[in-house]
Amino acid sequence: MQKIAPAISVLAGLGENKPQNQAVLDWVHEVELLAKPENIFWCDGSEGENEFLLDQACRQNVLIKLNEKKVPRSYLHRSNPNDVARVEQFTFICTPTKEEAGPTNNWSEPGETYSRLRDLLKGAMSGRTMFVIPYIMGPPDSPITKVGFEITDSIYVVLSMRIMTRMGTVAINRLGRDPKAEWNRGVHSLLDVDPARRFICHFPQDNTIISVGSGYGGNVLLSKKCLALRIGSYLARKQGWMAEHMLILGVESPAGRKHYVAAAFPSACGKTNFAMLIPPRHFKGWKVTTVGDDIAWMQIRDGRIYAVNPENGYFGVVPGTSYKSNPNAMKSIAHDSLYTNVALTDDDDVWWEGKNGAPPEHAFDWRGRDWTPDSKEKAAHPNSRFTTPMRNNPALDSDVEKGEGVPISAIIFGGRRSDTMPLVFQAFDWEPGVYLGATMASETTAAATGAVGQVRRDPMAMLPFCGYNIGDYFRHWLNIGTRLTNPPLIFNVNWFRKGAHGQFLWPGFGDNMRVLKWVIDRCEDSGGAVKSPIGWLPTPNDVDLEELAVEHKCIVELLGIDHKEWQRELTEHKKFFDSLGGVVPEELLRQRENLEARFKH
Ligand code: OXD
Ligand code: MN
């Protein structure tokens, strides 16, 4: 059997970027004594280091170099087939009390958990290289930027972190020498990639993450879900800001007026596509630009919300990505990218279901097995991913590096709902908007292990990512509202409503610009709407539907609400709140009653 993560021989002049901060040095030494690696590689994030590590990864068969002409400087990684998605059932919040983790998180007592993890990590890196990755989350000059260090025995993690974060010397410099400075400790080991020994554990009070037994991005790129969302949300509440599972996009009108919008959709529900949207021909002169595609860190200044994208790259779902669905993503992943669990063609190109053009006559599927169009199984895993630098995105917003962030005019919630939720509506105010986010639901996807297609409540798309008690999280949102003099308007969208025959009613993708335009019109006080029990609803005349080949009756269905479906929905809201066992703030319980009452009048 192939050895997992054998040590690399470190070239002179590489892997020596030790920070001066004694707290970091002590912690690395402690992990070294425990995990007993063969050697330590201190990453600096340089180009030379990257080239060296890519070469090593290819020699170890961790990466396969793709066709240089077709996808320059790009590689394929195949994960262990038992390790293809986030594992929510093995993800823990280890707070001193269970109550701090709250009803939506798996809780584990910190002392016991540290001790169990220490046992698992004992000698875990023997014969392996221990990489130390310094990184920052956020633009280098932002006041809310955070420093993290991730220790890992996976070269794939190092190469991915180099794309996903600003990594290396920039972080060492930002941290400086103060041993009391705030920074996140992350330890990752593949162990033997056995689901029985797979745990993703967060210790918010210690600003520490320990992840073992997986190599899948969402479990092991500790900057992303673990730091930027779980630990991030905990720090954000304590420090008075917000860490949210949201894309951030800019919309500029032909007259040059620009707004920024943040949108929370659950995993694999189209955040990347929305963030990179290209307006249809009819919207000539309109421009959509991307600040971020997954995570927003937001602060309040002058009574307004300002957002930064803490990441430096995109870790997106590949299947379904095409020049039709997302041309900017296709251009981004055409070079300098890592692919995970897609198919490999005979000429070393990548392929996946939903890519432009006919399927190849023969390929190797995501597990490396022969595949033809007649094969029963998919060539690419439904949760196969690309990892690509945000610099590759032709629609990258010019203010993406702005440390103070971009001002947010609107927040959009949304999920995959076959029924009930109209294409778009606007909450009456901040508090009903928080209720809207708190009761959000979506059909589950392949981004996490478990059943796909089941409706589950996913408040603010943060169910798997809120690092503390969800009741306190709702309270934090309500408190933020009281500090805003110029709050963003709050909306809900649903691109996935289906008709009586199970067909999608809305074309989605670029045509979502029509919905975005209504959102912007509302922000500018110019969009029409009618009052409904759930909020402000556009009529077909309020949304620009020119040059859209969708029947009028579908539009009416998309924009309408069915009172019977909403009775059921209200019952589900109540069930959800009840299931949280008394942590839901009074204000939101009252919002539910108000909503119910509005349906009766
Ligand atoms: C992601 C996720 O990878 O939400 O962004 O699972
Ligand atoms: Mn996500």
Side-chain angles (χ1 to χ4, degrees), residues 508-529:
F509 305 115
D511 284 311
N512 294 339
M513 180 66 210
R514 300 169 190 280
V515 173
L516 189 54
K517 167 76 168 42
W518 182 73
V519 165
I520 298 305
D521 288 346
R522 296 294 292 171
C523 292
E524 299 212 324
D525 256 344
S526 61

Side-chain angles (χ1 to χ4, degrees), residues 225 245 267 271 294:
K225 301 302 175 180
H245 192 200
S267 308
K271 282 198 295 300
D294 194 41

Side-chain angles (χ1 to χ4, degrees), residues 61-177:
N61 294 324
V62 170
L63 295 183
I64 297 169
K65 169 102 181 83
L66 295 172
N67 185 316
E68 186 58 26
K69 287 219 172 70
K70 300 205 160 170
V71 239
R73 302 173 299 282
S74 299
Y75 299 82
L76 168 66
H77 171 71
R78 293 193 183 119
S79 77
N80 187 314
N82 75 31
D83 186 30
V84 292
R86 282 185 293 100
V87 283
E88 294 177 6
Q89 68 279 32
F90 303 129
T91 299
F92 293 89
I93 302 296
C94 309
T95 41
T97 65
K98 186 167 178 359
E99 199 203 337
E100 286 160 275
T104 55
N105 282 312
N106 298 314
W107 174 76
S108 185
E109 198 279 321
E112 264 171 42
T113 314
Y114 273 129
S115 142
R116 205 159 5 114
L117 291 166
R118 256 186 231 119
D119 282 347
L120 288 168
L121 284 168
K122 251 181 218 155
M125 297 188 190
S126 93
R128 299 183 185 178
T129 296
M130 181 168 114
F131 298 94
V132 184
I133 309 167
Y135 65 93
I136 55 169
M137 295 304 281
D141 65 347
S142 175
I144 54 174
T145 287
K146 302 285 181 201
V147 176
F149 279 80
E150 176 166 354
I151 288 177
T152 180
D153 55 10
S154 159
I155 197 166
Y156 166 77
V157 167
V158 183
L159 292 164
S160 303
M161 287 290 283
R162 186 171 194 275
I163 296 175
M164 294 304 296
T165 70
R166 296 161 177 92
M167 165 186 154
T169 306
V170 61
I172 290 180
N173 292 345
R174 171 122 186 167
L175 181 65
R177 284 168 178 247

Side-chain angles (χ1 to χ4, degrees), residues 60 67 84 160 171 229 244 250 425 441 492 523 566:
Q60 293 188 354
N67 185 316
V84 292
S160 303
L229 288 178
E244 299 297 331
F425 66 98
N492 195 87
C523 292
W566 270 90

